[in-house]
Amino acid sequence: MFKSEPMSNTSALSATNAPYIEVNNLNLTIGGNQLLHDISVTSFTPGVTMVMGPNGAGKSLFLRCLHGLLIPTSGSIRLLNKPHEATTASQSMVFQKAVLLRRNVIKNLEFAAPNGTPPTEITELLAKVHLNGKELQPARLLSGGEQQRLALARSLLTKPRLLLLDEPTASLDPASVLIIERLISEATEQGVKCIFISHDLGQAKRLGADIIFLHQGRLAEHTDAETFFTSPQSREAKAYLNGEIVL
Ligand SMILES: Nc1ncnc2c1ncn2[C@@H]1O[C@H](COP(=O)(O)OP(=O)(O)OP(=O)(O)O)[C@@H](O)[C@H]1O
Ligand SMILES: [Mg+2]
C-alpha cells in the first residue's frame, strides 16, 4: 500500500482503496534555492502519518505545501482523494508556535467555532484540554503548553477531516503531551486523518501508523511505523534512529 519511492515497503496495515496522501514530483524553490526535491509519496494509511527527519530536512516546508500556504514550483498534491483546492477548507493546521488572537481563551474558541456550535461543545473541549477556569485569561498570557492545547482545541472545533500538526508538543511537559496525544487519538478514531511532524521517537511509535522520512529536502523513506523503527531501509533513517548526526 506504500507507493512512495525510494525505499518503500508494504505492510499489513489496514488500507482503503483511495489514498489519503498523494504527492507527485513536488519541487519547491524559494529565492533561487531548491528546498524540496522531487518528493513523491502516496499513503493509503488512516490515522497518523508522522513526518520525521533532522532539522532543516524540509518537514515544515512540506507541511506548508500540503496546507496550501506555499505553492510548489512544480508537482501535484491530492489529499483525502480530492483536488487540493477542495480539501484546504476541510483541513486545519497547528503550528509549532501557536498563533492565537489577542483575545481571551473563550473568544479564541468562539471565533473559530462554526456558526451554530453549541456552547456546551466549547465548554467540553475546554475541559478536555484542561483549560477550564482559564476562559477569561488573555490567550497570549497562557503558558506555552496551554497555548498549544488551546490551538489544538481551536482546530478541532472547526471539525477538520485532515489535521496538520507541526511539532505541536515540542518542549511541552509530559502531562500536556499526553493531553494532546489523547485528543489526536480520539480525533483519528473518529476518522480524522492526521499528518504530524515530530522529533520525538517515543511519540512517533505511540501515534504513527506510517512514517515519511525527509532528509535534505528529499524523501529518504516512507514505510509503516513498525518497519521504520525495527528495520529502517534508508541509510539516513538508520543514522537518525541511532542518534547519529545526519546533516
Ligand atoms: N523562506 C525560505 N527561504 C529560504 N530558505 C528557507 C525558507 N524557509 C525555509 N528555508 C530553509 O529550508 C530548509 C528546510 O526548512 P524547514 O523549516 O522545512 O525544516 P524542518 O525540517 O522543518 O526543520 P526543523 O526540524 O528544524 O523544524 C532549511 O534549511 C531552511 O533554512
Ligand atoms: Mg520545522
Side-chain angles (χ1 to χ4, degrees), residues 75-89:
S76 66
I77 296 170
R78 202 176 156 86
L79 301 170
L80 307 182
N81 200 31
K82 290 205 183 86
H84 202 204
E85 315 77 68
T87 36
T88 42

Side-chain angles (χ1 to χ4, degrees), residues 104-173:
N104 67 29
V105 167
I106 200 83
K107 288 240 176 335
N108 264 272
L109 292 175
E110 286 170 354
F111 186 79
N115 283 342
T117 303
T120 47
E121 195 178 320
I122 297 181
T123 320
E124 281 166 17
L125 202 51
L126 262 180
K128 273 189 186 169
V129 294
H130 296 227
L131 286 178
N132 38 336
K134 301 227 179 231
E135 288 84 347
L136 300 180
Q137 183 159 335
R140 292 183 183 205
L141 297 185
L142 294 171
S143 76
E146 289 168 345
Q147 289 195 15
Q148 277 304 27
R149 277 149 39 201
L150 178 58
L152 180 61
R154 196 181 51 182
S155 273
L156 290 172
L157 261 185
T158 65
K159 305 228 165 38
R161 295 198 51 229
L162 175 65
L163 193 54
L164 303 167
L165 303 155
D166 191 348
E167 300 195 47
T169 61
S171 74
L172 301 193
D173 72 35

